[in-house]
Amino acid sequence: MNKKVNKKTIKRGLLPYLFIVIVGVGILYVFNFLNHTTNVLTYDEFIGNLSKGKVKTIEITPRDRAQTYEVTGKLSGYGENESYYVILPKSDSVINKVVSITEEQKVKITTKEDPSSSAIWLVFADLFPLLLLLGIMFFFLSRQMAGNKSSMDFGKSKAKLSDEKNKVTFKDVAGLKEEKEEVKELIDFLKNPKKFQRLGARIPKGVLLMGPPGTGKTLLARAVAGEANVPFYFISGSDFVELFVGVGASRVRDMFQQAKRNAPCLIFIDEIDAVGRQRGTGLGGGHDEREQTLNQLLTEMDGFGENTGIIIMAATNRPDVLDPALLRPGRFDRQVTVSLPDIRGREEILAVHAKNKKLAPDVTLKNLAKRTPGFSGADLENLLNEAALLAVRRDKNAITMHEVDEATDRVLMGPAKVSHKYSEKDRRLVAYHEAGHAVIGLKLASASDVQKVTIIPRGSAGGYNMMVPSEEKLCSTKTDLLEQITGLLGGRVAEEIVFKEVTTGAENDFSKATKIVRAMVTEYGMSDLGPLQLEHQEGAAFLGRDYNKSRNFSETVAHEIDIEMRKIIDKCYVDAKKIIKDNRELLNLIAETLLEYETLTKEQIDYLVENGKMPEEDNENLESMSLTSLRQLAKEKGIKNSSKMNKAEIIDELDKIKE
């Protein structure tokens, strides 16, 4: 395959080697010069040696300026790097005497021209050291500039132009139906601005995309540029801020100048909160680099200049910290919230990411979407990628439900700790703890559906329940929250009833329950204190503002908040105890089944509750088999140490043999 080679690239590549050759020759010359021995003779010594026949060679170089002759050569007994040197006065008597003696001794005389007689050589000899020094300096400066060009143009914009080959359209954006409708006007304006100008309509100059990480804000902005078929400049908010004051403002000016030359176009600023935070809230001075950059951005967006045909889109996860001047009409006057996808959106997103993946018949995207509430688009893409990696690792021809289940657990809790061995007592504690959560989830009407229960340790948890809402709701009722708290307390209640003691396993459950209870009392007005918001939803502290916020209640009210929280927790704990005691047989059944199977799916739990036993084992479906049966099957297949493996390890080994 022939490739065009840039001549400048070839020259630039040969320069270092040429420099090395010149330096090497120079070093060799200096080395030889230092190792050469020159014996300086007087006129009488030279004549004496010449008369005795000791002179072997004679080289005479006239020096017209000095009116002398330089004579060099070798005497008998000299080594290879040894010579003599003598200066003779330029007179006929001296030359005649030397010539007569050399004729008697039969020594040949070699005559050289005077170098100083050539003007070109004289100029070169005088300027060569200076030229050599300048050449070395130029070489190193050019190398440094080529390696770090940005050091010379740090005031230029770092905005990059999107590649036309990787164009994204609305077909590549799934699960954002309403958000795409909001930005379609931008596409129409970029394609045909005269249609809007004819009726005096002003298209929004800026669109701010807000939402949690991974929901597709950047992808939506790229799709707008792809649909409009206009230049798309993208830059991160952190690329504006530098150490030197004024650099960020210079980059903003340069970015808008480039955009004006290519209008109509779209500029996308990702993570704009890095440069657009509120001014005057820091602990230091107000004239820092970030604020100067923000001031320049505000001026360019809607200041004294006109930016016709330029639309700015920005994305942030923290709209609460942005400067109010950014959000006024004329700047980011349209704000689009990109939320987490619902079940239909998740199914569409999964379909997009599953296009290039081979799924087994038992994998249905609809069921997978139902099992992944709260997942963002990035989480769903990561889920399918993890499943594909597991399928490749197990040498399978397609992604099965087993890989999807394992990938879901990995995304939520991390990889299984298959090498971490627990005692039988710990396994029973974890089994009854998780069974307690499952029983309350099954018996409470408004509780979430139990999708999966496992006692295989993952992350910092010895086991976990995967519980998803029966239907996705916009708002939660007080009953929903109370039953959610009751479900979180089910594990501790089961431990207390069965083992007559408690463990540290409920730490995370208590943390979640406490947050819900406090929000009910201080934010949602769901207590006897009445409809008061005593606290607001806490986020990341914004330096200079959140540290100085005042409390909205007195010490007396704080004591009443603690009392109300205690009342709610105590009531939920009593309810959880009653449910566990009334369904002790179901608790034992689920716990003992967990000890045998280690993992139970929703279908297995439903069958277990209805029939009191697990469905008949299907040797084709390894997930449905008990741990005892799997170990027996592994022993028959010749798998060593199967008695020390858990269910996940045995299934992996059997899958390898099957393939």
Side-chain angles (χ1 to χ4, degrees):
M1 181 177 180
N2 295 327
K3 295 183 178 179
K4 293 183 179 180
V5 181
N6 193 347
K7 293 182 179 180
K8 291 184 179 180
T9 305
I10 295 178
K11 292 179 179 179
R12 187 176 297 174
L14 291 177
L15 278 176
Y17 300 102
L18 181 61
F19 177 74
I20 292 173
V21 171
I22 294 174
V23 172
V25 172
I27 292 174
L28 183 63
Y29 176 79
V30 172
F31 179 78
N32 290 333
F33 178 79
L34 294 176
N35 288 339
H36 187 84
T37 303
T38 301
N39 299 317
V40 180
L41 303 179
T42 63
Y43 171 73
D44 294 335
E45 290 175 341
F46 171 70
I47 295 297
N49 288 320
L50 184 62
S51 301
K52 295 177 182 178
K54 293 183 178 180
V55 177
K56 300 297 182 183
T57 60
I58 297 177
E59 293 181 358
I60 299 177
T61 304
R63 297 293 183 180
D64 295 336
R65 288 187 176 185
Q67 293 296 311
T68 59
Y69 290 103
E70 290 184 356
V71 181
T72 59
K74 288 184 175 293
L75 299 179
S76 58
Y78 276 12
E80 184 178 355
N81 293 326
E82 189 176 5
S83 64
Y84 68 85
Y85 174 81
V86 62
I87 296 178
L88 303 179
K90 194 174 184 181
S91 65
D92 294 339
S93 59
V94 171
I95 292 299
N96 293 334
K97 185 174 182 179
V98 171
V99 170
S100 62
I101 297 176
T102 54
E103 288 178 351
E104 293 177 2
Q105 300 294 334
K106 297 182 180 181
V107 179
K108 186 177 180 180
I109 298 177
T110 303
T111 305
K112 293 184 177 181
E113 294 183 0
D114 185 4
S116 62
S117 62
S118 174
I120 298 177
W121 173 255
L122 180 62
V123 172
F124 177 77
D126 292 338
L127 295 181
F128 177 75
L130 180 61
L131 292 175
L132 180 62
L133 180 61
L134 291 176
I136 294 174
M137 292 174 60
F138 175 78
F139 172 77
F140 284 108
L141 285 175
S142 62
R143 291 285 295 176
Q144 187 169 359
M145 291 175 63
N148 188 16
K149 290 184 178 180
S150 60
S151 62
M152 303 302 294
D153 59 354
F154 54 84
K156 298 294 183 181
S157 171
K158 291 189 176 183
K160 299 179 181 178
L161 189 62
S162 178
D163 189 1
E164 291 289 333
K165 297 180 181 179
N166 301 323
K167 186 178 294 185
V168 177
T169 63
F170 279 165
K171 294 181 180 179
D172 304 308
V173 182
L176 299 176
K177 184 177 181 180
E178 291 78 10
E179 289 82 355
K180 286 189 286 187
E181 290 293 333
E182 283 289 319
V183 297
K184 274 187 177 179
E185 288 182 1
L186 304 179
I187 300 172
D188 295 337
F189 173 76
L190 290 171
K191 286 184 175 180
N192 188 13
K194 293 182 180 180
K195 181 175 67 173
F196 293 84
Q197 296 169 359
R198 181 169 55 87
L199 297 178
R202 181 183 64 82
I203 202 70
K205 291 187 178 181
V207 178
L208 181 64
L209 303 178
M210 307 177 298
T215 50
K217 299 183 291 295
T218 304
L219 184 65
L220 183 61
R222 292 180 60 190
V224 171
E227 290 286 340
N229 196 24
V230 296
F232 175 63
Y233 291 93
F234 61 95
I235 190 172
S236 173
S238 60
D239 289 333
F240 291 112
V241 183
E242 286 288 351
L243 174 65
F244 304 104
V245 176
V247 174
S250 175
R251 289 178 178 175
V252 172
R253 288 191 294 269
D254 186 67
M255 179 180 68
F256 277 89
Q257 288 175 1
Q258 293 181 28
K260 290 176 184 178
R261 290 193 293 266
N262 295 277
C265 67
L266 181 67
I267 297 176
F268 177 67
I269 305 176
D270 197 11
E271 304 297 343
I272 193 173
D273 52 276
V275 70
R277 287 176 175 258
Q278 292 185 17
R279 293 167 291 181
T281 54
L283 298 180
H287 296 284
D288 61 357
E289 163 66 358
R290 182 187 57 78
E291 291 195 4
Q292 297 301 324
T293 306
L294 175 58
N295 292 336
Q296 186 63 43
L297 180 62
L298 296 174
T299 303
E300 293 289 345
M301 287 188 67
D302 188 26
F304 293 102
E306 289 290 334
N307 293 321
T308 306
I310 301 175
I311 293 179
I312 303 176
M313 297 186 72
T316 181
N317 306 324
R318 293 292 309 277
D320 56 306
V321 304
L322 294 180
D323 195 281
L326 272 175
L327 307 179
R328 74 159 176 82
R331 287 172 181 149
F332 287 110
D333 42 13
R334 177 168 296 183
Q335 300 170 26
V336 179
T337 301
V338 185
S339 305
L340 293 172
D342 57 7
I343 183 171
R344 185 180 301 176
R346 292 195 297 273
E347 185 177 355
E348 294 175 359
I349 294 172
L350 287 169
V352 171
H353 294 302
K355 285 181 180 178
N356 62 340
K357 295 178 175 61
K358 188 175 181 181
L359 302 178
D362 62 335
V363 179
T364 58
L365 299 181
K366 185 174 182 180
N367 291 338
L368 185 55
K370 187 176 180 181
R371 297 175 57 182
T372 52
F375 277 50
S376 66
D379 292 332
L380 295 172
E381 190 275 336
N382 186 38
L383 171 63
L384 289 180
N385 185 64
E386 285 288 343
L389 293 175
L390 287 171
V392 172
R393 192 180 304 167
R394 295 168 180 174
D395 296 328
K396 291 189 175 182
N397 297 322
I399 301 173
T400 66
M401 201 62 195
H402 178 50
E403 281 74 43
V404 173
D405 284 337
E406 176 68 17
T408 305
D409 296 340
R410 280 173 171 263
V411 172
L412 290 174
M413 303 292 295
K417 294 184 177 179
V418 294
S419 62
H420 205 123
K421 304 304 178 183
Y422 290 90
S423 65
E424 189 61 28
K425 180 180 179 181
D426 288 337
R427 290 183 76 248
R428 289 186 65 83
L429 280 169
V430 174
Y432 274 93
H433 181 100
E434 301 303 333
H437 290 304
V439 168
I440 294 181
L442 291 169
K443 294 303 177 180
L444 290 179
S446 299
S448 301
D449 292 337
V450 181
Q451 291 289 330
K452 185 177 183 180
V453 185
T454 179
I455 59 173
I456 297 176
R458 290 181 181 273
S460 59
Y464 78 98
N465 269 271
M466 181 188 291
M467 303 180 71
V468 300
S470 55
E471 60 179 3
E472 297 185 16
K473 301 177 182 180
L474 182 62
C475 298
S476 298
T477 65
K478 182 177 180 180
T479 302
D480 294 337
L481 296 176
L482 289 174
E483 292 189 352
Q484 189 175 348
I485 297 170
T486 304
L488 290 169
L489 298 176
R492 167 57 68 87
V493 171
E495 294 175 3
E496 185 178 346
I497 291 176
V498 176
F499 300 101
K500 308 301 180 184
E501 62 179 354
V502 295
T503 68
T504 59
E507 176 190 2
N508 189 46
D509 299 331
F510 292 160
S511 175
K512 294 178 180 178
T514 303
K515 289 180 180 179
I516 297 173
V517 173
R518 189 166 190 87
M520 290 176 64
V521 176
T522 62
E523 296 180 37
Y524 307 146
M526 295 180 178
S527 69
D528 293 339
L529 293 179
L532 297 174
Q533 187 180 45
L534 304 172
E535 294 178 349
H536 61 82
Q537 183 67 35
E538 293 183 357
F542 183 30
L543 190 63
R545 187 188 70 191
D546 291 348
Y547 284 160
N548 297 324
K549 64 181 181 181
S550 60
R551 295 176 58 182
N552 295 328
F553 49 86
S554 64
E555 295 295 336
T556 304
V557 176
H559 179 64
E560 293 178 359
I561 291 173
D562 295 339
I563 294 175
E564 290 298 320
M565 291 177 61
R566 172 59 58 190
K567 284 167 60 177
I568 295 175
I569 286 289
D570 289 344
K571 180 181 182 303
C572 292
Y573 200 83
V574 171
D575 293 343
K577 269 191 174 182
K578 184 177 185 305
I579 295 172
I580 295 295
K581 288 180 178 179
D582 293 344
N583 297 275
R584 179 64 185 272
E585 293 183 0
L586 179 59
L587 176 71
N588 294 337
L589 178 62
I590 295 177
E592 295 299 328
T593 307
L594 272 174
L595 289 171
E596 184 177 0
Y597 286 80
E598 289 193 330
T599 301
L600 298 177
T601 62
K602 183 180 186 304
E603 294 75 15
Q604 292 173 330
I605 294 173
D606 292 341
Y607 190 92
L608 184 65
V609 173
E610 184 177 350
N611 300 280
K613 63 177 182 178
M614 287 289 287
E616 294 295 329
E617 293 182 353
D618 182 6
N619 289 336
E620 295 298 324
N621 185 7
L622 300 178
E623 286 290 332
S624 65
M625 297 178 64
S626 66
L627 183 60
T628 303
S629 301
L630 280 173
R631 285 174 175 169
Q632 181 63 32
L633 180 61
K635 187 176 180 180
E636 294 174 0
K637 296 291 185 179
I639 299 176
K640 297 180 179 180
N641 299 324
S642 59
S643 59
K644 298 181 180 179
M645 296 181 182
N646 60 26
K647 189 173 182 178
E649 291 177 299
I650 297 175
I651 290 177
D652 287 344
E653 294 297 326
L654 291 173
D655 283 339
K656 292 178 182 179
I657 295 176
K658 186 185 296 185
E659 292 295 332

